[in-house]
Amino acid sequence: MALYLGLDCSTQGLTAMVIEAGSRARRVVFERALDFDREFPQYGTANGVRRDPDDPLVVTASPLMWAEALDRVMGLVARESGIDLADIRGVSGSGQQHGSVYLEATASEVLATLDPRVPLVEQLRPCCARANAPVWMDTSTSAECESVEAAVGGALALARLTGSRAFERFTGPQIRKFSTQDPQGYARTDRIHLVSSYMASLLAGAHAPVEPGDAAGMNLMDIVRRDWAQSALDATAPGLARRLPPVRESWTVVGPLARYWTERYGFPAAKVIAWTGDNPSSLVGTGLVREGRVAISLGTSDTLFGFMREPRIDPSGAAHVFGSPTGDYMSLVCFRNGSLARERIRDRFGMTWDDFSSALRATAPGNGGAVMLPWFEPEITPPVHAAGMRSYGLDPHDGPANVRAVVEAQVLGMLRHSRWMDVRVDTIHATGGAAANRAILQVIADVFDADVYQMPVGNSACLGAALRAYHADRVSDGVPIAWDEVVAGFAEPIPNSRVRPIREHVAACAAVGPLHAACEAHALGVGRDPLPMIRAYRASMEPHD
Ligand code: ADP
Ligand code: XUL
């Protein structure tokens, strides 16, 4: 039997999943999650992070908490899974992206000689050059973002080089801030890890490399060459190259599980595979392993992410391009006004979700040219700082028209702001709480002219990690396996969940696309008044004799 262990060190907790992967059986055999707040109260986290009381923009977590959680979850896998540990062939993982861990030179020796009798956290404590790891929720580096962009020739130049313009949460600007605010701490730092490469290092008992999926979230890696970009390193901090792990392929075997794990818990010397970021891992865990497939996650925020063969860049600078663990690329586009915007409209008209769905079904695609821009909160895509819903030609008292307006605006926005990917989307995997709503999925199918499938609820990042371990084990054994075959039977849509586009709806949605683009441009202050266009559209819709 071939078993693979996937781990996901996310913002709020650490999850372990064991899968059986082979020609005979394909199933999840064990899953266990540890919640940081509940299980490790001594670190004082709320939702897995700590906010600096003096500066709410600063958000961190302790790398020691992650080490302690890894130790505990490995013990639980050993004791509670009921599996024969000897069957585990590979271990990999995913981490929340962008967060960084700063270790002193003594870490190399400590990792290489981890004592199985002493808790991991005690052995690591002395080698942290910085007590706190800044995480992706930290937004305190605006000044650093500006200087990094200026030094490489502007935001677009940085996006072309690294896949993204500078973002506050990205690792490069965070490193720059640390190096200037705590030069002594930076001088003591021998190695800067991502959360992913740090956790892989603990498993292997040696400094692990980073891989292009997660390294693309640093503003430091050349997205085409998949290696550090010297101009970005120079723009960030002095002596940075020697402090970074090497960039290696996603399926790199870092080494066998360290003696710490084999002797303390009885694991075999299974292969430790490089870890990636949670979003690249979810790409695998939702089965997006070929071009034409994207996922739309309808959660608190909405995100669209998808597989790309080529490293294309969003010229507007709103989206990200990361490496894909398959060796290709992926896009990530975030829309802050997702479920919360839909809820605003639902609640304003006193509806249930069933009423909301009925309203969507009862209204015509194109909404008679009535347009909403649902920026109830400041928006990420497109960048909008001043919150406030805008509307054009929309009756504020017409509940059903407002329901259609909010959903069409969101989905047409997803299409418009993912065009730069230049990928013909034929299949969409829908996830997140609102993916339960098939009326919303119908709008997605009609706007994208693509089949939409519901994905089972589950930890797709953790599943992606276990599947990556399976893939890498096969590659390193010299029997490579196609990615479609890796995900088959695991990362598949719910049977019979397909929502097909309706031909007349597709045409109606395509016809209002330009109208929405014009309204958005006007609302952003870069376009003319769209009302004449709306009038012309409405006139064209009137029946002719
Ligand atoms: P998170 O991003 O916090 O993980 P989830 O993916 O769990 O969020 O999605 C939660 C959201 O799903 C809720 O905010 C709610 O608005 C939305 N939701 C749940 N059921 C429905 C439904 N039937 N129709 C539309 N939206 C729904
Ligand atoms: C992606 C991002 C988050 C984190 C945490 O850019 O910041 O999705 O990876 O999940």
Side-chain angles (χ1 to χ4, degrees), residues 272-308:
V272 177
I273 315 303
W275 284 38
T276 188
D278 53 2
N279 293 298
S281 197
S282 286
L283 192 81
V284 174
T286 46
L288 305 181
V289 294
R290 63 156 72 161
E291 193 151 270
R293 282 187 203 165
V294 303
I296 292 180
S297 168
L298 302 166
T300 304
S301 312
D302 292 343
T303 53
L304 178 148
F305 59 100
F307 182 100
M308 293 192 297

Side-chain angles (χ1 to χ4, degrees), residues 297-301 339-340 342-343 346 353 356-357 431-437 440:
S297 168
L298 302 166
T300 304
S301 312
S339 280
L340 296 185
R342 292 185 285 275
E343 282 176 22
R346 182 199 63 178
W353 282 127
F356 190 92
S357 307
T431 67
N437 189 318
I440 296 177

Side-chain angles (χ1 to χ4, degrees), residues 261-408:
W261 308 105
T262 56
E263 292 191 7
R264 190 175 174 89
Y265 297 117
F267 283 95
K271 294 168 192 164
V272 177
I273 315 303
W275 284 38
T276 188
D278 53 2
N279 293 298
S281 197
S282 286
L283 192 81
V284 174
T286 46
L288 305 181
V289 294
R290 63 156 72 161
E291 193 151 270
R293 282 187 203 165
V294 303
I296 292 180
S297 168
L298 302 166
T300 304
S301 312
D302 292 343
T303 53
L304 178 148
F305 59 100
F307 182 100
M308 293 192 297
R309 280 252 177 262
E310 303 292 331
R312 297 189 191 90
I313 301 301
D314 175 13
S316 83
H320 308 301
V321 178
F322 297 141
S324 150
T326 57
D328 305 276
Y329 294 91
M330 71 173 287
S331 62
L332 182 73
V333 197
C334 298
F335 302 86
R336 178 143 174 218
N337 288 282
S339 280
L340 296 185
R342 292 185 285 275
E343 282 176 22
R344 288 266 196 138
I345 297 300
R346 182 199 63 178
D347 296 344
R348 183 191 301 165
F349 294 98
M351 294 179 174
T352 62
W353 282 127
D354 278 346
D355 301 334
F356 190 92
S357 307
S358 306
L360 262 184
R361 292 209 175 87
T363 44
N367 211 20
V371 174
M372 178 192 292
L373 296 166
W375 301 329
F376 295 97
E377 298 287 329
E379 183 49 75
I380 298 170
T381 311
V384 177
H385 298 293
M389 189 271 269
R390 282 78 149 169
S391 68
Y392 296 87
L394 177 66
D395 175 356
H397 306 294
D398 182 342
N402 277 265
V403 167
R404 180 155 282 278
V406 68
V407 176
E408 276 190 357

Side-chain angles (χ1 to χ4, degrees), residues 7-269:
L7 298 153
D8 175 43
C9 186
S10 77
T11 314
Q12 306 209 28
L14 180 68
T15 307
M17 183 188 286
V18 179
I19 62 168
E20 180 181 358
S23 44
R24 280 183 301 118
R26 292 183 156 243
R27 60 193 180 108
V28 175
V29 294
F30 179 72
E31 194 174 348
R32 186 76 155 75
L34 293 179
D35 179 270
F36 293 142
D37 296 355
R38 211 173 35 239
E39 306 273 347
F40 305 97
Q42 64 274 32
Y43 292 96
T45 56
N47 298 112
V49 299
R50 276 192 311 232
R51 280 170 204 276
D52 188 329
D54 301 323
D55 183 351
L57 301 184
V58 172
V59 185
T60 62
S62 168
L64 295 177
M65 175 178 78
W66 297 327
E68 211 170 331
L70 181 64
D71 212 353
R72 188 166 312 165
V73 93
M74 290 294 274
L76 290 171
V77 172
R79 284 194 308 278
E80 292 185 1
S81 64
I83 59 171
D84 185 350
L85 293 180
D87 290 332
I88 296 183
R89 301 179 52 103
V91 185
S92 191
S94 61
Q96 52 170 300
Q97 293 199 254
H98 318 298
S100 42
V101 177
Y102 302 72
L103 299 178
E104 296 187 9
T106 50
S108 307
E109 180 66 15
V110 168
L111 286 169
T113 57
L114 287 173
D115 183 343
R117 291 161 307 182
V118 181
L120 183 63
V121 64
E122 298 311 327
Q123 302 182 66
L124 276 173
R125 200 182 300 280
C127 25
C128 289
R130 183 179 183 182
N132 297 319
V135 299
W136 64 278
M137 298 167 81
D138 185 293
T139 53
S140 66
T141 61
S142 299
E144 287 77 10
C145 287
E146 263 177 47
S147 48
V148 169
E149 284 182 348
V152 300
L156 189 58
L158 186 65
R160 286 213 180 95
L161 182 64
T162 69
S164 299
R165 66 172 174 79
F167 283 88
E168 280 77 1
R169 66 189 191 283
F170 275 44
T171 325
Q174 292 289 344
I175 294 172
R176 180 173 178 79
K177 182 179 157 204
F178 182 58
S179 74
T180 53
Q181 292 195 345
D182 184 0
Q184 276 141 13
Y186 185 68
R188 278 200 314 276
T189 303
D190 173 68
R191 187 60 53 98
I192 303 174
H193 276 294
L194 289 172
V195 178
S196 56
S197 60
Y198 166 69
M199 298 295 277
S201 305
L202 300 183
L203 289 174
H207 283 301
V210 291
E211 53 71 68
D214 214 12
M218 301 175 81
N219 282 140
L220 294 174
M221 185 189 74
D222 182 323
I223 191 78
V224 176
R225 285 194 307 109
R226 296 161 167 268
D227 202 354
W228 301 122
Q230 194 56 49
S231 61
L233 303 195
D234 293 342
T236 300
L240 184 50
R242 66 169 185 275
R243 291 179 166 85
L244 293 173
V247 185
R248 294 283 180 265
E249 286 169 325
S250 288
W251 46 88
T252 299
V253 178
V254 183
L257 268 176
R259 191 171 67 95
Y260 182 84
W261 308 105
T262 56
E263 292 191 7
R264 190 175 174 89
Y265 297 117
F267 283 95

